[in-house]
Each structure stands twice: as structure tokens, then as C-alpha cells.
Amino acid sequence: MKILVVDDEEDVRTLFEQRFRREIKAGEFDFAFSGSGEEALEYLKGQNLEAILILSDINMPGMSGIELLKQIRSKSPSSPPTIMMITAYGDVESHDQAMNLGANDFLTKPLDFTELKQKLKSSL
Amino acid sequence: MQRFLYIFFISLATKIAFAQPSNPTVGDSLKRVLSKQANDTTKVLILEKLTGFYTNINPILALRYGRDAWILASKLRYDKGKILSAISSAQIMLGTSDYSEALFKLTEAKFLSEKNNMPKELTTINLKFALLYTNRKQFKTALEYLSKAKKIQDSLHISASEMPLNLTSGFVYKDMKKNDSALYFFKNAYKYSLKNNLTFQLPTITYYIGSSFWELKQKDSALFYFRKSLSLKAAFNEGRVFYGLASIFKATNQTDSSIFYAKKALIHSHQNNHLQTAIFSAQLLSEIYEKKNDLKESLHYYKITTADKDSLFSQEQVRQIERLAYEEQERESQVQRKVEVHQKALESEIKIYALLVLLIMVLIVVFFLYRNNKNKHRANHLLHIQKEEIDTQRDKAEKALHDLKTTQVQLIQSEKLASLGELTAGIAHEIQNPLNFVNNFSELSIDIAKELKEEIEKLEIPEKDKVYIDEIIGDLTQNQEKINHHGKRASSIVKGMLQHSRTSAGEKELTDINALADEYIRLSFHGLRAKDKTFNADFKTDFDENLPKIEVIPQEIGRVLLNLFNNAFYASASLKNQENFKPKVTVSTRYLTNPSPKVEIRITDNGTGMSSAIKAKIFQPFFTTKPAGEGTGLGLSLAYDIITKGHGGTIEVESTEGQGTTFIITI
């Protein structure tokens, strides 16, 4: 199972790689990273969507996470892939919007990695 | 016969009244002086003297002098001359029974005398009036004029008029057949004339005394005065005196004496053209001769009587015509007087009406003044009311201005807060991402440090080095924990800041504020108790049972209430170390109906209170009085936003330093 993390912040990659070092080494999690919505869509082309879990930030320059969600869900209205949206604290509007557009779950920043780990494990 | 005799005496009386001496030389010398005299006031007086002189001798000539005197005096504007000539002319006219002319002249003379204040002349004029009215048998008027003359004489002590007054009074009373009175006045006139040597009047006066005595049948006295009159040798007077004697002797049957005096009377009367006396004398002779059966003589005197009567008749006829003319004139003058009286009455009426009109106008003016006054009072009252109204309005305006200023300050404040809120929210959003990394990496670093420690444990290195490495890893871990702690602290601030810009997720619904307040005060209390076991305070609720449910976002209002309760408990609990102090928080609700229905929530604590400087800043974001780390300074700012922006209500604070604080929310 591939976990595609979509975030414009470069450090997210470092954070995920360090935080899940053990899981990555154990082959439990396989992370891929995209810096934007467009990049993510490009990556998804030719991929087996059923084997991918997308973890996307909402607020990004260029294509936002919501737009990315819209485009993915426009091609495959029902899952896969599993899509979890990440946004800033208390952005209720984005939460509602994402859930309505077919997001599978919702996480708020700052990420609680213990909670994320559980969610990822249960989704894989 | 008696009446005829009476008329005869009166007629004579008018002719001889105040007669001047008739010495012809006087007249001649006066004429001589007149011919040389220039046309001045002296000439007027000379003409007047000539008028008087010829009054009895030649009335026509006398009237001509009188007229000349009048014309000259008029030309010279010599009023005294006009008065004297008018009096003299009137005297002549009385003698010729020309009463209307006499009246005209006397009226004119009276007017001038009054105008020039000449009392002596006015006395004479009044006496002439008395004679005029006596001749007209208007005795009442005659007596009035006598009275007027006497009054003037008494008031001014004009002795010169005493004789004429007495004499005229005698004539009037004699004409009234009051012979006793007449005798009294004639005797007075006689005494005065003797005393003052006015001899020219004595023949007339003595005649009238004799005549009066004979009227009173006192024969001897009558004879005495008749004889005295004759002794004074006044030719114009002798005819009537002789007739008087003849009458007395006839009455006493002394026929011869009677015939003797009657014949003398007839001769003198003819000589002086006294026809009336001549008729009486001839008639008396005819009667006596008839008695004596001497028919021839009787017929002779009868014929004389008839002839004289004819002559007198023609004269009488002329006088009668004049009299008629006079009466007509008098009638006219009466009419004129009536017209004048009427006119006067009319004038009086007009005056009365004018006065009435004036009175009405005055009343109208008074009414208007009164009304104006009343209006003024009313206006003043109105003004007073208006002033009070203006004062009230001014007070209201001042209050409104004050409120406006307060609102303006609040608006500015809220605008400041709003823009500050938006700014901070923007900043917060941007800060949050790096802060997230700080938190995540610090947490991760703590985990990595833990892993590192575990890995080093596995290595076989000297114990001493292990201890040192552990110590270093411990420090790193501690530092990461500090970073994480402060990162979370910053994060909570950012969360608070973001709440300002966050669109409310909740929806307004009918909410029981009493229940909400009760729930949150308990939540606050127990929350604080959970955090701090030593915390203790009283809380009290005082809810309006009639409070209606209102449309609010319950989560938002709950957040505000929780914030305020936390603050209240914090403030009151901060004094817990004071002796006998019991921290206490009260929440009360009230339903306000004026000016518009609203719900009021009051949260009161008995804590430290605030200074006005602090009070002014408490709704600003990041303002806090709590120690660092204990408060973000965003609670009240957020409460302010929720109440004012979210619910259109107000939030105010009342506080007295050292006594406590009350927050008042109205929604």
C-alpha cells in the first residue's frame, strides 16, 4: 500500500520519514510525496488507485486539496483511492466541504501522529 | 277803560324811560362839535349823545344818529361805541314798539359787552331787556333780566346803575299791577335821584309815584306827586300829569277841576304829539260834558277823540304791522332757537354717541389689551413649556451626544478590535503551519532522543561515557520538551486568534438562557476544581423565571459564559487568602422590555475589581492581567465578538477596584 502525502511544505516529507522510520524500514508504510495537487494527479496517472491512500493538505498554492479531491472523485466517484484531508485547526467549512466531496477522513494540524498511525493502519 | 289806561301808561313809560334833558341848546352845540370832529371814537360818542338827546324829541332823527354812530364805530372797530349806540337805538325802538329791531340791537350789544367784559353796559342792556319783555307781557323773563342786572350791580358795586335798576323795576312791577312793589322801587329811584342830583329823571319818577298812589286809591299822595312832577317843568311829561289830575278830580266829582286839567292835558298832549293822552283827555271831557247835558261840548270833544283815535289808529296800525312783523320774526327766532336747541340736543346726542363710540373703542382697546395680555401670558406659558421641552430635548440631545460619543468610542474600539482580530487571524493562520512543524518536530525529536538512548544502551561503551551520553540525551530531550511546551502554548494562542475569524459553525436556535447559564457556571466551577483542588468558591444563580427563550448560537454563548465565569472565579479566588473572605460569583438574568425586549445576563464577582485604565482595554485581543502562560488575552475579545458581531447584543463591564466586577450582557 502506497501512502501519497500531498503538501506544499517540504518539511512534511522529513517529518513523515523520521516519524515513521521504523514502519518504513519494516515495509509497513510506503510513502510517496507530492508538493502540489497537480503533481499528485500526475503521480496518480497509471497507478493502481486501489493500492494508494492519499493524505492531502487542503490549503496549498495552485490546486488546493479540495480541487484535487474533486478531480479524483470526478473520475472515481466511489473509492478507491482512500483520501484523508488535512487542514488547519478549526477549519469547519473545509471539513464539511471535503466530507461532502467524498473524503474518507479528516485530520487537523498539528498532526497527532499517534492518531494518524492508527488511522493509517486501520485503512491499509 | 282801565286796561286802555294801563297800556297808555306803559307806552309812555317806554318813551320816557331814562329820558335825557331836552334843552335845544345842548343839541345845537353837539351838532356844532360834530361838524368839526374827525371820524374817530370821539365822533362816535358825540353821535351817541345826539341819539340820546333826540330820543324823545325826534325819534327818527335820533335813530339816524344812532345808525351813524354804529357804522362809524364798526368801521373803527370801536366796540364801546357800538354798544352805546346799540343801547340808545334799542331805547328808541322800544319807544316806537319796534321790538324786533330792539331785540336785535340789544342782543348785539350784549354779545359785545360780554366779549369786552363791560359789566356797567351789560347792566343797562339787561334792564332794556327787562323793559322789552315787560312790553311783551313776558314778566317772568323781564324779572329774570332784572335779577341779572341786580347781580352784576351787586357783584361790582356799580352805583351808577342803581337808579335805572330801581326805575325799571318800578316799571315792571307796575306793569304787573303790583303797585306796592312798583311804588317801593319808584321811591328808591326818587331818593337816589335827589341824592345824586339827577334832576332830569325826577319829573318822570314823581309822575309814576303819583300814578302808583292813584292805582292804590291814595288820592292825596297821588295829587302830591303829580303836583311835584308839574313843578319840575318837564314839557314832555305835563300832558299825562294833567290827565292824571283830571282823572282824580273826575273820580271825586270835582267836575270843574277835572274839566280844567283835562283841557290842559289835551293841549299839552297835542303839543307833544301824545295822541293817546290826548284821546283819553278828550274822551274824559266828552263824558263830563255829556253828564252836564252840554251836548254841544260833549260832541266837540267826542269828535276830537274820534279824530285823535283815527290818527292814533293809523299810527297804531303801523305799529301793529311792525308788531306782527316782530312777532313773525320772534316766531322765526323761536323756531331758530328751537332749531338751535334741537341742534344742541343733536350735538349732545352726537357727543353722547361719540362718547359711547369712544367708550366702546376704549372697551375694545381694553379688551384687546386684556386679550393681548392673556395671549402674552399664554405665550409665556407656552414659551415656558417650550423652554422646558427644549431643556428636556437639550438634555436628551446631550445624552444622545454622550451616547453617540460613547458609541463612537465603542465603534472605533470595535472597529479596532475587528481589524486587529482580522489581522491577528491572518497572522495566526500563517504562523500556524510553522508552529505545527515546531510542535511535530519537537515531539518527534523527543521520540528520536528516546530511540537514540535505546540504541546507545545496546552499544558496548564505557559506563562513564554512557552516563555522559545519557546526560546529553536527557538535556536534548528536556530541551525538546521545552520547545514543545512553548510551541503548544503558542499554538493555543494561535487557536484563540483563529477563533476570531472562524465562521461560526453553529446555528441560532431558541435557547433557555437560564439553563445555559446554570450549566456553564457549574461547568466552570467544576472545571476549575478539577484543575486546582484547593480552589473553592460560592456561586449563586438568580434567574428571571419569566425569561423567554431567545434565538442564539448556544455553543457560542456557552463559550462566552464559560469565559466570563472562569474570569469571575479567577478574580474572586485571587483574594482567597484574605481573612473572612469568601469568593463568590453570581449570575442573574432579567427580561427587559424597554426600549425593546431583551435578555440581560449579569455575572458578578467579589474579586479584585479593575481600574478604569484596565477597564478600557479588557476587550482588546491579547490584553490580560493574568501571569504569563495563564491567559492568552483573547477570551474577552472573543466574547465581545460573539456577543456584538454574532448576536447584535452588547457586553459592558462595571467595576470598582477592590470591590468586584460585573459583566452585563444584553441580547
Side-chain angles (χ1 to χ4, degrees):
Chain A
M1 173 68 74
K2 192 71 115 180
I3 300 164
L4 177 64
V5 179
V6 188
D7 200 312
D8 59 314
E9 294 277 359
E10 272 293 315
D11 286 341
V12 170
R13 175 190 283 260
T14 315
L15 190 64
F16 271 77
E17 284 174 348
Q18 288 188 11
R19 185 68 185 80
F20 297 111
R21 191 196 312 266
R22 282 181 186 169
E23 287 79 5
I24 293 166
K25 274 187 180 173
E28 216 172 322
F29 295 155
D30 182 10
F31 285 100
F33 296 94
S34 293
S36 67
E38 291 88 344
E39 203 179 310
L41 282 177
E42 194 63 31
Y43 176 82
L44 288 173
K45 282 177 186 172
Q47 294 282 337
N48 178 14
L49 295 178
E50 286 185 9
I52 289 180
L53 186 148
I54 299 168
L55 198 60
S56 175
D57 187 21
I58 288 178
N59 199 13
M60 290 183 292
M63 185 184 287
S64 69
I66 294 291
E67 186 58 34
L68 174 69
L69 176 67
K70 253 190 220 171
Q71 293 214 12
I72 294 166
R73 287 290 179 242
S74 66
K75 288 169 187 168
S76 57
S78 56
S79 55
T82 301
I83 304 172
M84 290 185 189
M85 303 302 291
I86 306 164
T87 189
Y89 167 82
D91 190 353
V92 182
E93 237 174 72
S94 300
H95 170 267
D96 291 350
Q97 200 181 6
M99 295 308 274
N100 289 334
L101 285 169
N104 298 92
D105 210 341
F106 196 91
L107 294 162
T108 57
K109 288 183 179 178
L111 287 167
D112 182 340
F113 281 95
T114 313
E115 187 190 356
L116 176 63
K117 191 177 171 181
Q118 282 173 0
K119 283 191 176 187
L120 287 175
K121 280 187 172 174
S122 61
S123 299
L124 290 173
Chain B
M1 182 62 199
Q2 191 68 24
R3 181 174 168 72
F4 192 67
L5 196 65
Y6 175 75
I7 292 166
F8 163 70
F9 279 127
I10 290 304
S11 169
L12 279 179
T14 55
K15 279 191 173 181
I16 61 167
F18 320 130
Q20 299 291 313
S22 54
N23 187 348
T25 54
V26 175
D28 291 341
S29 79
L30 282 172
K31 279 181 188 172
R32 275 198 299 276
V33 174
L34 184 69
S35 63
K36 292 172 188 171
Q37 188 64 40
N39 284 341
D40 58 10
T41 52
T42 312
K43 192 172 181 177
V44 175
L45 293 174
I46 294 164
L47 285 168
E48 197 275 323
K49 287 277 177 200
L50 280 166
T51 310
F53 181 78
Y54 285 107
T55 296
N56 291 316
I57 303 162
N58 188 345
I60 294 164
L61 183 64
L63 275 177
R64 197 179 299 151
Y65 282 125
R67 192 174 63 243
D68 289 348
W70 176 267
I71 291 166
L72 184 60
S74 298
K75 204 188 265 181
L76 296 168
R77 295 184 180 177
Y78 179 42
D79 281 354
K80 190 181 177 182
K82 280 170 87 175
I83 293 164
L84 293 173
S85 71
I87 293 169
S88 302
S89 298
Q91 177 62 47
I92 299 160
M93 287 158 188
L94 283 174
T96 56
S97 304
D98 192 358
Y99 299 124
S100 62
E101 278 295 316
L103 186 66
F104 174 75
K105 285 284 172 199
L106 286 174
T107 307
E108 200 137 2
K110 188 176 176 232
F111 169 73
L112 290 169
S113 303
E114 283 172 347
K115 183 182 149 194
N116 292 290
N117 193 23
M118 295 165 78
K120 190 182 159 193
E121 283 72 19
L122 200 57
T123 309
T124 308
I125 291 160
N126 283 327
L127 292 175
K128 297 297 176 197
F129 269 119
L131 281 177
L132 175 71
Y133 285 105
T134 300
N135 288 357
R136 302 299 308 148
K137 305 276 184 256
Q138 294 172 5
F139 298 118
K140 197 182 164 195
T141 314
L143 287 173
E144 282 171 6
Y145 276 104
L146 279 180
S147 172
K148 283 181 187 175
K150 189 165 186 341
K151 267 187 188 168
I152 298 168
Q153 180 191 280
D154 289 349
S155 66
L156 299 169
H157 308 289
I158 306 169
S159 58
S161 61
E162 200 167 305
M163 196 282 290
L165 178 65
N166 278 310
L167 192 55
T168 309
S169 300
F171 290 148
V172 174
Y173 283 104
K174 192 165 193 313
D175 210 8
M176 291 169 73
K177 294 187 181 173
K178 292 185 177 176
N179 286 296
D180 286 330
S181 300
L183 202 55
Y184 167 77
F185 288 112
F186 286 140
K187 278 185 174 174
N188 278 351
Y190 178 67
K191 283 176 201 164
Y192 187 84
S193 297
L194 279 179
K195 190 180 169 186
N196 294 286
N197 207 20
L198 303 171
T199 51
F200 67 94
Q201 289 289 7
L202 285 174
T204 302
I205 297 167
T206 48
Y207 165 72
Y208 277 105
I209 293 171
S211 179
S212 299
F213 273 126
W214 179 233
E215 288 288 327
L216 293 164
K217 301 301 171 196
Q218 293 182 29
K219 179 192 154 193
D220 292 339
S221 299
L223 284 172
F224 174 78
Y225 280 100
F226 280 154
R227 278 172 184 147
K228 185 163 262 192
S229 181
L230 284 173
S231 70
L232 295 167
K233 303 286 181 192
F236 71 92
N237 194 44
E238 283 172 341
R240 58 185 177 182
V241 178
F242 285 133
Y243 174 74
L245 288 168
S247 299
I248 293 167
F249 288 124
K250 182 178 178 268
T252 55
N253 292 321
Q254 292 172 273
T255 311
D256 292 340
S257 298
S258 180
I259 289 171
F260 172 75
Y261 285 114
K263 281 181 178 175
K264 277 179 96 72
L266 190 59
I267 292 161
H268 281 276
S269 297
H270 279 144
Q271 280 175 355
N272 289 296
N273 199 25
H274 288 166
L275 280 178
Q276 194 66 63
T277 311
I279 291 163
F280 289 150
S281 303
Q283 211 168 10
L284 192 142
L285 284 165
S286 176
E287 284 170 11
I288 293 169
Y289 281 117
E290 193 184 0
K291 246 183 202 173
K292 288 177 78 176
N293 289 322
D294 188 345
L295 295 177
K296 190 184 166 189
E297 282 296 311
S298 176
L299 185 62
H300 169 69
Y301 287 108
Y302 182 74
K303 282 179 181 173
I304 291 169
T305 307
T306 309
D308 285 348
K309 272 187 178 173
D310 284 346
S311 177
L312 183 67
F313 179 72
S314 59
Q315 283 182 12
E316 277 295 319
Q317 220 171 15
V318 172
R319 281 177 191 157
Q320 188 65 31
I321 290 163
E322 283 176 354
R323 214 166 284 136
L324 285 170
Y326 163 74
E327 280 169 2
E328 178 57 24
Q329 208 163 352
E330 195 175 42
R331 195 184 62 78
E332 278 176 12
S333 67
Q334 274 176 355
V335 168
Q336 184 68 30
R337 273 201 293 279
K338 276 183 186 171
V339 168
E340 281 171 8
V341 167
H342 181 69
Q343 209 163 349
K344 276 183 183 171
L346 201 67
E347 280 172 10
S348 301
E349 224 166 274
I350 289 168
K351 277 180 188 169
I352 287 167
Y353 282 127
L355 278 171
L356 274 173
V357 169
L358 191 70
L359 187 68
I360 289 165
M361 283 171 75
V362 166
L363 283 173
I364 289 168
V365 169
V366 166
F367 169 73
F368 277 110
L369 285 173
Y370 171 75
R371 207 181 65 168
N372 282 353
N373 195 32
K374 209 172 177 184
N375 283 347
K376 205 174 165 185
H377 275 292
R378 205 177 293 153
N380 279 343
H381 182 64
L382 202 65
L383 275 174
H384 185 68
I385 291 169
Q386 283 175 345
K387 190 180 172 292
E388 281 180 354
E389 183 64 22
I390 287 166
D391 287 347
T392 310
Q393 292 299 333
R394 193 192 58 207
D395 291 345
K396 279 184 182 174
E398 279 175 359
K399 190 178 177 299
L401 183 66
H402 176 74
D403 291 349
L404 193 67
K405 279 182 178 172
T406 310
T407 309
Q408 193 181 24
V409 169
Q410 283 175 351
L411 268 175
I412 293 166
Q413 183 73 2
S414 62
E415 277 303 307
K416 272 184 188 171
L417 294 177
S419 49
L420 193 63
E422 282 164 20
L423 185 67
T424 52
I427 294 165
H429 192 79
E430 293 305 314
I431 289 171
Q432 194 178 21
N433 278 335
L435 203 56
N436 285 339
F437 282 112
V438 169
N439 288 333
N440 286 140
F441 276 112
S442 60
E443 270 177 16
L444 182 59
S445 296
I446 294 165
D447 287 347
I448 289 170
K450 196 178 168 187
E451 278 178 38
L452 179 63
K453 195 179 174 185
E454 284 169 7
E455 290 302 320
I456 287 168
E457 282 292 328
K458 293 175 189 170
L459 297 175
E460 287 185 1
I461 52 171
E463 193 60 29
K464 189 185 168 188
D465 293 339
K466 268 189 185 178
V467 172
Y468 181 64
I469 290 165
D470 280 350
E471 193 180 321
I472 292 167
I473 292 170
D475 286 347
L476 277 172
T477 305
Q478 195 179 8
N479 288 353
Q480 291 304 324
E481 281 171 355
K482 292 260 180 220
I483 291 166
N484 192 253
H485 168 75
H486 290 290
K488 282 186 175 167
R489 188 177 149 203
S491 193
S492 78
I493 292 169
V494 169
K495 277 183 192 170
M497 286 160 76
L498 281 171
Q499 281 174 341
H500 278 290
S501 62
R502 197 192 60 188
T503 309
S504 175
E507 285 191 2
K508 283 187 181 174
E509 56 189 72
L510 274 176
T511 307
D512 182 351
I513 297 294
N514 288 345
L516 195 71
D518 190 58
E519 181 190 338
Y520 276 91
I521 197 167
R522 286 169 203 284
L523 189 65
S524 172
F525 176 76
H526 292 295
L528 292 169
R529 258 323 260 284
K531 276 186 188 173
D532 179 7
K533 300 280 180 203
T534 62
F535 171 78
N536 196 15
D538 274 355
F539 65 88
K540 187 189 164 196
T541 56
D542 179 15
F543 298 134
D544 185 348
E545 287 177 5
N546 298 316
L547 201 72
K549 286 185 175 179
I550 55 167
E551 288 270 358
V552 293
I553 304 164
Q555 302 91 326
E556 298 280 272
I557 299 299
R559 190 196 299 269
V560 171
L561 291 173
L562 186 64
N563 206 297
L564 293 174
F565 289 139
N566 284 343
N567 285 347
F569 280 123
Y570 180 88
S572 53
S574 64
L575 298 174
K576 65 183 177 186
N577 295 330
Q578 286 185 7
E579 234 175 277
N580 301 324
F581 179 80
K582 186 83 176 168
K584 187 177 182 182
V585 173
T586 307
V587 58
S588 66
T589 55
R590 217 153 45 108
Y591 184 52
L592 306 173
T593 52
N594 190 28
S596 56
K598 277 194 163 117
V599 166
E600 182 191 81
I601 310 163
R602 284 176 174 259
I603 295 149
T604 306
D605 66 65
N606 59 348
T608 51
M610 290 179 274
S611 67
S612 39
I614 291 174
K615 222 161 53 173
K617 292 178 183 172
I618 53 165
F619 293 115
Q620 286 180 11
F622 308 114
F623 179 80
T624 180
T625 54
K626 290 177 184 170
E630 281 193 46
T632 59
L634 291 166
L636 284 178
S637 170
L638 182 64
Y640 187 88
D641 273 5
I642 290 168
I643 297 298
T644 56
K645 285 185 186 170
H647 293 83
T650 60
I651 179 164
E652 287 169 13
V653 63
E654 288 174 358
S655 184
T656 310
E657 221 168 351
Q659 287 187 13
T661 302
T662 300
F663 280 88
I664 305 149
I665 299 167
T666 51
I667 307 168

